[in-house]
Amino acid sequence: MPHVTALTVSAPAFEHHREPIGIGESAPRLSWTVETGIPGWRQRAYEIELSDGTVTGPVESEQPVLVPWPGPELTSRERRGARVRVHGHDGSVSDWSPWSWAETGLLEPADWQAGAAGPPLELLGVPDGPALLLRRDFTVRGPIDRARLYVTAHGTYEAELNGRVVGDDVLSPGWTSYGHRLRYRTHDVTELLHEGANAIGATLADGWYRGRVGFLGGKTNIYGERTALIAQLEITYADGSTDLVVTDDGWRCAPGPVTTASLYEGEHHDARLLPAGWSEPGFDDASWLPADVLRHDPATLVAPSGPPVRRTETLSPVAVLTGPQGETILDFGQNIAGRLRIRVQGPAGHTVTLHHAEVLEDGALALRPLRSAVAEDRYTLRGDGTPEEWEPRFTTHGFRYAQIDGWPGELDPSDVQAVVCHTDMRRIGDFACSDPLLTRLHDNVVWSMRGNFVDLPTDCPQRDERLGWTGDIQVFAPTAAFLFDCTGPLASWLADLAAEQAELGSVPHYVPWVPLAFDTIPTAAWGDAAVLVPWTLYQRSGDLDLLRRQYTSMKAWVDQIASLTGDDHLWDEGFQFGDWLDPAAPPEDPGKARTDHALVATAYHAWTTTILAQTAELLGHDADARHYAELAQAVREAFRGEFVTPSGRLACDTQTAYALALTIDLLDGPAQRERAGRRLVELVAGDEHRIGTGFVGTPLVCDALASAGAYDTVYELLQQRNCPSWLYPVTMGATTIWERWDSLLPDGSVNPGEMTSFNHYALGAVADFLHRTVAGLAPAAPGYRRLRIAPRPGGDLTHASARLDTPYGPASVSWTLEDGTLTVTATVPPGADAEVDLPGSAVREVGAGTHTFTAAL
Ligand code: BGC
């Protein structure tokens, strides 16, 4: 048997989980990657063994990604190991992979014995008031085999057992459409318990449930007026018997040190108010009030499909600045989402104030962009003569700078750290090139993704908004899916989208939906997220089940627009955001784009209808596939009839209009496409190679130019430094992607517009083009089963590279250009293959392995 040791198989992954404890799938699909030096290696068959004795024997299949669960379905609390062995077409057989283990959570509503224990009304302040403490004692009867805490809340919580914080997640349970889906987490707490007296507790804040959320004053009490903890501690003893400790009326409540906790306002903590030992056994809670048991619906409780928010990095200040009034301002050198951690010593009752901002204006914190979010944390010292460490727990801010007021004595900058907090996704992709500004632009995109995946995909992390705007993630999803493994988190968000859509009859502007200023009227490019985000995730992860789960939602969206547009198929009525933030739109009217809203909307209708037809075909809904393919054709014809001249000019002479027509394939034949491509080049040149697109055109304009072969123009745009351009913010010192092309004006002042965030990922959607075309690493089949290696060097770049942990394993492309010779080195993971398309060369096919190609340019 050849090559037994030349093949190594990774321990299988379960679904999209990073830590498969408390999973919600009873038949989790398995994925693995193979490492081998055998050129062109392909899997012919796999074998799976489960710890319950299930063995599949060799299953003829080339698929190592999301393979069906081979054993009996898991029930609640079941733990199962899995390992894999693979056979190659060349006769090679691997050794068994290491085992990996998954454990289910509580899969049935009936598994939940826990009630919702809420602080009594006497303790409950106004929304965004104090965080409250809940606790109870319990006894562990004997030696423990294992213990699990299943926990969630109406509000945000931090749980403790015997004086120790449970888990390292923050802002749990995060924000979902709570009325439909409330995620719980499962913690292995075996090590936190001991025989005899124990105590469990939690600090409970209002969070998204009851605190203020949204712009224009926002709303409070969105999901209810009462916060509550839902906790179920299950202890399994060595003798097999079990005990349950659940939230019920045996819990007691009191105020704690957190006197104010608000996502927007910040957190105030008075360390003198901490009841010492409150979550330890034997604490005297006689003066505490009994919790009320409130109604909750266990049917809404779901296991997470991705990782929680965690502290992912700590930054030290890079400079200590003095503001115009003598303020002490720390610069952390990077705009982030998170909060500060301080170490301070001083007199009891003394208060330190921490104020956050993304940018400075005239040397002081620029607070106007935060609108009504106060973003101020306060710590009042216990003052017992020892250093005190503090980090707020129930708030987060978008900031690079922090003003520190009231610091007792001399501030040592190392006593203040910035703690980066976001969904703890696995980083999978990267990009670099010889232009440091372009590489920094890419880094800024990564930071904006980190700043805006704070549990859900948001528009911004700093002002009174931070909502799951559908349009923003719709345009950014291809980039997001390359940078981090976000399939799990976005699958959860899409489940919310579908639930909200079913309830509201349309895809809301943001998910979760909070009724604020306007109704849930369908809008193009935003509502189209219902179709395009699942499709993108399928392309990148190969997860067909995700499309299956979203199909009803995808179809409902397209049907809704089809009935709205009627027989003429033109979407030319009703409110639209359109090409939002077109650089020509005035600061106070970001929707006043040059591109006709009807053109944008009709183009999107054609696009999502086409994708829906393809989805239907993949899922075997043949009649649907035919119906939507015909509808897409009709919409295309309607588009052409209304917006395209016979020669290929568009009724709207804008970069965005041509970008849409060219990338969505709305034109009729090569002659029209050639004319449209030429016109786009003329338009970009007419704008002195500055960007002329908003949210809609920005992700498409480079691809549109590339489809016309206009790479010179692509690079003129990409490497442009004058405003507006992708690099202008970089030249102004940006460390994240800005909401506006000119959030900071060339004179260094903040754009006067109401909407001026410095951390919005949408305009960073160009990173997907950097990956696919500048570096040249693109998917050619779902899940990167086939790669397209097609770099298109240009501008003054002398090298570029991208790497990606695809579902099949690590892939990379790296090129250098020297004396007119392009040298490309590409790695194709085992089990995948690639088409290699280099400028001036015929397309080649290659299999797994590392390959080098050269081409004369
Ligand atoms: C958000 C955007 C969002 C937009 C709707 C803004 O307030 O920050 O990113 O998509 O509204 O057009």
Side-chain angles (χ1 to χ4, degrees), residues 749-826:
S749 63
V750 174
N751 189 305
E754 259 281 282
M755 270 167 257
T756 304
S757 133
F758 291 85
N759 203 351
H760 246 68
Y761 50 49
L763 301 180
V766 69
D768 184 50
F769 184 84
L770 300 179
H771 308 144
R772 286 185 289 105
T773 309
V774 174
L777 176 54
Y784 292 86
R785 149 83 192 66
R786 186 172 172 77
L787 311 180
R788 177 167 163 77
I789 295 167
R792 290 293 177 270
D796 63 9
L797 296 194
T798 53
H799 73 78
S801 60
R803 59 133 205 117
L804 177 71
D805 286 335
T806 74
Y808 290 81
S812 62
V813 178
S814 169
W815 61 259
T816 56
L817 184 60
E818 224 184 305
D819 301 330
T821 303
L822 174 69
T823 308
V824 180
T825 306

Side-chain angles (χ1 to χ4, degrees), residues 33 39 44 86 282 349 353 413 439 458 548 568 577 603 653 666 691 746 810 820 847:
T33 57
R44 178 185 58 75
V86 298
T353 303
T439 304
T458 61
R548 197 168 283 127
D568 71 5
F577 292 115
D653 209 21
L666 297 169
I691 193 79

Side-chain angles (χ1 to χ4, degrees), residues 459 463 465 469 472 526 577 580 695 739 755 760:
D459 56 337
R463 68 180 177 221
E465 194 148 4
W469 278 96
D472 302 46
W526 272 252
F577 292 115
W580 185 252
F695 273 31
E739 176 173 25
M755 270 167 257
H760 246 68

Side-chain angles (χ1 to χ4, degrees), residues 138-226:
F138 62 96
T139 305
V140 172
R141 288 186 283 110
I144 293 179
D145 176 40
R146 68 172 207 176
R148 298 287 183 267
L149 178 65
Y150 305 96
V151 59
T152 187
H154 294 168
T156 48
Y157 67 90
E158 185 182 83
E160 296 188 23
L161 269 169
N162 296 324
R164 286 165 64 189
V165 172
V166 177
D168 55 2
D169 44 314
V170 302
L171 295 171
S172 281
W175 190 16
T176 48
S177 176
Y178 293 143
H180 302 106
R181 303 172 63 251
L182 172 59
R183 281 167 309 181
Y184 64 92
R185 288 191 58 75
T186 303
H187 297 279
D188 179 353
V189 293
T190 317
E191 299 303 322
L192 296 181
L193 302 184
H194 43 249
E195 265 186 77
N198 288 259
I200 183 168
T203 309
L204 183 63
D206 292 342
W208 294 274
Y209 191 88
R210 180 174 181 262
R212 177 161 72 101
V213 174
F215 47 86
L216 296 176
K219 277 225 156 55
T220 52
N221 295 317
I222 293 169
Y223 298 96
E225 294 180 358
R226 309 274 308 260

Side-chain angles (χ1 to χ4, degrees), residues 659-679:
L660 285 164
L662 284 161
T663 54
I664 302 176
D665 199 14
L666 297 169
L667 301 167
D668 193 15
Q672 278 199 351
R673 274 200 291 277
E674 194 276 333
R675 182 68 193 101
R678 215 157 18 97
R679 183 62 193 151

